[in-house]
Amino acid sequence: MIPHQVPRVLRLGPARLTAGLDHCRRLDLPAHRTLHGVPVPRDVQDLIARVDEVDLRGRGGAAFPFGRKLRAVAEAAAARESVVLVNGAEGEPASSKDKMLLVRTPHLVLDGAVLAAEALHAREVVIATVAGEVAEASVSAAVAERRAANVSGAAESRIAIRVVGLRERFISGEGGALVRGVNGEEPVPPGRKRRAAASGVDGLPTLLSNTETFAQLALLAELGTERYAEVGTSKEPGTVLLTVSGGAAAGAVVETPSGTPLAAVLDLCDADVGEGVLVGGYHGAWLTPDAARSAVVSREGMKQAGGGLGAGIIVPIGSSTCPVGEAARVASYLAAQSAGQCGPCRLGLPDVARALCALAEGTGSIDAVRRCVRAVERRGACFHPDGTAKFVLSALDAFETDIALHLEHGSCGRPVRGVLPLPEPDPEPEYRLEVDWTRCQGHGLCAHLLPEFVDLDDYGFPSFRTMPGWMAKEARRAVDMCPALALRLVQTTGEEPRPAASPLRLVRGGVFRRPPSLRGLTRLEPPASRGQHARPAPAEPRSSRRSGRRDGGFGAGGERPVTTGPEPAEPSPTPRPPLHLAPAPHLAPAPHLAPAPQPAPVPQPAPGRHLAPAPQAPYSPGLPRTGHPGPDLPPAGHLAPGPDPGRGSFPASAGDAFPHLAPASDFSWFGGPMG
């Protein structure tokens, strides 16, 4: 497997992790074995001693001692199986070093993972990477190469190796999120911190570390502790992989010994520092130009300069772009990449992003940004809010002069060129709430449930903002809890919205259908003439009904024939079936429709007589409207009895036929057209 495009590699000092990459795009298994040889299996105690001697730390950003992880997994797996998990799903957009290793030298990473698995007698090695990328294809090809070598009789390890592709998100590289993703769950940080060394993949003790960490472990086993420590500093021996991008003309993955001045790395990449350099990634910190020139590439050196080495990310901002606008872009991205499972992520990070965007537009203030940041610090379920707060606060300090220009003139005069790398936006669906204003009564409950996406005016009526897909669950909850049933959730794709769910609503156990239009006059069909029994008309297929007819619903879906739109000159002489009121599913059906004995018979109107609507009569959507009460009609709200009390007669009212039903006014909350 030879990839067409690979990350660029530069180096200062000897080539170790990048050895052999000057002459080929990717090292396959034969080339890798020629260059690095076959690793010798180690006992777990021997491996821990070597790791502790050079103080090998995790290279994913936390810099946790790798020896302590090995020891913890070995103790937890004393009487059961364990798993080795390689974190190659770096969700950091500004980092490319792990991708470079998996694409160009995947067998070095596999050597380190297999070495740890053999020492721990692990069940398998799991390589977690971004699904659909070249890195996943490269490491899968490397696993296939090893299986083929075993078939041909080579001395390759027979420990099972599995590749898992995960969706790329900023938070998917967090340890707990990675374990959840490998276990088939949603790859978001768990609400409660759980150590992978105690319970990780499939609930087994799991050795979880970064891609570069396992590559460094393979080099340590190959070179030994003395040769490994020949470069670097006494406290941090070895080399470091850095990803240089942003304002660098020659962005690349740079391998350099620890203790190298940061200025030498920037000069190698022909970088324009501009007003600052971001170190440690989007959970890192900004260094001023003076601090960047004096900084040293090491954990201790970056700490003294006011930043952190983190995952080895170096991003000079350059002088051609607006630094405040660039920081606002990243803050908005980080707010959208949260898990959305705690208050600081759901509410606080969007507030921070909006406050920083307002500052970039010259309408905000530094104090407003700091207040929003204080609301999220040390309050999140994971480190994402704290890392974002660190990034924003350091931007306020590093770009103080530029911020003053924005506050005074509304801009610094430079455009936002998108220098800070961000991934291409995924075509994720976005949603928005729509309101039926004939129903909305200004309760304000939707604003309490979704305060970041719903605003209330002075009268308590809402206006809505578009929300990301991860908020769809909460938005549906707001729709279901609306007291007036006035909301619906719409998925927006381009300019054409479509409902996010079926428009049918469940009402008291039945489906409440869309009521007929009230724009035209609603009239009752005339009953059959006296002396004739009303015969029900044969049922018509729904598709053959006239376009002016609609289904109306009462309770569990009873129908009534109505006609809407312009009224014909003469009523149809065809007899219509009598109106039946179907009981709701949870109500006991009446055994028969007998006329109520209380009302006296009232003469019926002559056929063809039209009924004018009664403006003063209240409308009850569960029952049909009746005409204005005339000298020969019953009062409004009652149904006239049929000509024959024994056949086809109507009850005087729904309450007489079903005394256990509530009056029509009790069902007034059904009213109005569905939104």
Side-chain angles (χ1 to χ4, degrees):
M1 187 269 181
I2 301 178
H4 176 66
Q5 293 182 344
V6 295
R8 185 184 181 188
V9 170
L10 298 175
R11 65 177 66 91
L12 288 170
R16 290 189 170 181
L17 296 172
T18 60
L21 299 183
D22 294 335
H23 309 290
C24 59
R25 291 195 295 268
R26 178 182 181 271
L27 294 175
D28 58 7
L29 184 59
H32 172 76
R33 287 286 173 251
T34 301
L35 187 63
H36 294 284
V38 179
V40 178
R42 306 281 180 177
D43 178 76
V44 65
Q45 297 301 328
D46 178 52
L47 196 61
I48 292 175
R50 290 172 179 265
V51 168
D52 288 343
E53 186 173 350
V54 298
D55 192 20
L56 180 61
R57 301 290 185 101
R59 303 302 175 93
F64 193 83
F66 188 69
R68 290 174 57 183
K69 285 187 177 182
L70 267 174
R71 188 175 293 104
V73 175
E75 294 174 355
R80 53 180 177 156
E81 294 179 319
S82 61
V83 176
V84 173
L85 177 57
V86 180
N87 186 356
E90 55 183 1
E92 175 69 63
S95 178
S96 298
K97 65 183 183 65
D98 289 349
K99 182 186 299 183
M100 186 277 296
L101 289 172
L102 293 177
V103 169
R104 304 198 64 178
T105 176
H107 289 284
L108 190 63
V109 179
L110 292 178
D111 278 354
V114 169
L115 190 66
E118 288 179 338
L120 294 170
H121 305 287
R123 183 187 71 181
E124 64 176 345
V125 172
V126 180
I127 313 293
T129 183
V130 178
E133 297 289 339
V134 179
E136 182 187 23
S138 176
V139 73
S140 298
V143 173
E145 291 171 3
R146 291 181 176 238
R147 290 173 181 169
N150 277 328
V151 171
S152 62
E156 295 294 336
S157 174
R158 296 185 179 273
I159 288 183
I161 303 176
R162 177 162 58 103
V163 181
V164 178
L166 301 176
R167 177 188 174 193
E168 184 178 14
R169 289 192 64 190
F170 186 85
I171 58 175
S172 61
E174 194 269 343
L178 191 75
V179 170
R180 287 170 60 95
V182 172
N183 288 337
E185 304 175 43
E186 186 179 4
V188 297
R192 178 177 298 179
K193 184 66 175 178
R194 179 179 295 180
R195 295 173 57 206
S199 178
V201 176
D202 297 334
L204 300 175
T206 300
L207 178 64
L208 167 61
S209 198
N210 176 260
T211 299
E212 185 190 347
T213 311
F214 285 104
Q216 294 281 3
L217 179 64
L219 282 177
L220 177 61
E222 174 190 347
L223 300 175
T225 57
E226 292 184 2
R227 288 183 57 195
Y228 183 88
E230 286 178 355
V231 297
T233 65
S234 58
K235 292 184 178 180
E236 302 177 34
T239 60
V240 179
L241 286 181
L242 304 175
T243 304
V244 184
S245 61
V253 176
V254 180
E255 183 179 18
T256 181
S258 298
T260 303
L262 179 59
V265 177
L266 296 174
D267 292 341
L268 177 67
C269 298
D270 193 15
D272 178 13
V273 174
E275 296 192 27
V277 177
L278 177 65
V279 294
Y282 293 159
H283 279 177
W286 289 94
L287 301 182
T288 62
D290 293 338
R293 292 188 189 97
S294 61
V296 175
V297 179
S298 65
R299 296 190 301 271
E300 186 67 25
M302 288 295 181
K303 184 177 180 180
Q304 292 178 356
L309 183 61
I313 296 171
I314 308 295
V315 188
I317 190 66
S319 57
S320 63
T321 188
C322 172
V324 182
E326 294 284 350
R329 283 180 61 243
V330 174
S332 300
Y333 164 77
L334 295 175
Q337 287 292 304
S338 72
Q341 60 184 358
C342 66
C345 275
R346 283 188 53 208
L347 307 177
L349 293 186
D351 284 345
V352 172
R354 284 193 290 267
L356 193 57
C357 288
L359 187 62
E361 295 171 357
T363 59
S365 67
I366 296 178
D367 291 339
V369 177
R370 294 188 183 277
R371 282 196 302 269
C372 293
V373 168
R374 284 196 295 268
V376 303
E377 284 184 304
R378 297 182 296 277
R379 298 184 181 183
C382 65
F383 185 72
H384 185 57
D386 292 341
T388 305
K390 181 180 179 182
F391 171 85
V392 172
L393 290 178
S394 66
L396 296 181
D397 296 335
F399 307 139
E400 184 177 0
T401 303
D402 193 79
I403 291 174
L405 293 176
H406 279 261
L407 294 177
E408 183 177 357
H409 304 289
S411 173
C412 64
R414 288 172 288 184
V416 179
R417 300 185 181 275
V419 170
L420 298 183
L422 290 178
E424 293 293 330
D426 295 332
E428 294 185 356
E430 291 185 341
Y431 297 86
R432 73 166 181 263
L433 290 172
E434 290 188 350
V435 63
D436 181 358
W437 295 112
T438 63
R439 290 173 171 269
C440 182
Q441 300 176 13
H443 295 94
L445 180 60
C446 54
H448 289 283
L449 296 175
L450 298 169
E452 63 272 36
F453 301 107
V454 182
D455 298 318
L456 298 180
D457 62 13
D458 295 338
Y459 300 96
F461 290 96
S463 61
F464 306 103
R465 289 189 293 270
T466 302
M467 63 189 70
W470 53 267
M471 285 297 298
K473 181 178 178 181
E474 297 295 330
R476 290 190 183 96
R477 178 169 171 261
V479 170
D480 295 338
M481 296 183 65
C482 177
L485 301 180
L487 295 178
R488 72 167 180 167
L489 184 64
V490 172
Q491 177 180 328
T492 58
T493 53
E495 298 180 356
E496 295 294 331
R498 60 186 178 89
S502 172
L504 297 179
R505 299 283 187 84
L506 294 179
V507 179
R508 293 194 177 184
V511 177
F512 179 68
R513 301 179 180 175
R514 185 182 296 274
S517 174
L518 301 180
R519 295 179 182 176
L521 178 63
T522 304
R523 65 182 177 88
L524 292 177
E525 297 294 340
S529 60
R530 289 191 181 275
Q532 295 179 353
H533 296 300
R535 295 182 180 180
E540 295 179 18
R542 185 177 299 274
S543 60
S544 66
R545 295 180 181 177
R546 295 186 300 166
S547 59
R549 292 171 58 82
R550 293 188 181 178
D551 292 338
F554 175 80
E559 299 182 359
R560 63 180 183 273
V562 296
T563 304
T564 60
E567 196 165 321
E570 292 293 334
S572 174
T574 305
R576 299 295 181 185
L579 177 66
H580 296 278
L581 298 176
H586 61 285
L587 302 178
H592 56 82
L593 296 177
Q598 293 83 355
V602 179
Q604 297 300 310
R609 181 168 182 174
H610 301 283
L611 304 179
Q616 74 277 15
Y619 171 57
S620 175
L623 297 175
R625 280 186 174 178
T626 62
H628 189 282
D632 54 349
L633 295 177
H638 290 73
L639 297 176
D644 187 350
R647 297 186 182 181
S649 60
F650 295 99
S653 67
D656 296 327
F658 305 102
H660 50 285
L661 282 175
S665 60
D666 292 343
F667 289 89
S668 60
W669 59 284
F670 284 135
M674 291 296 293

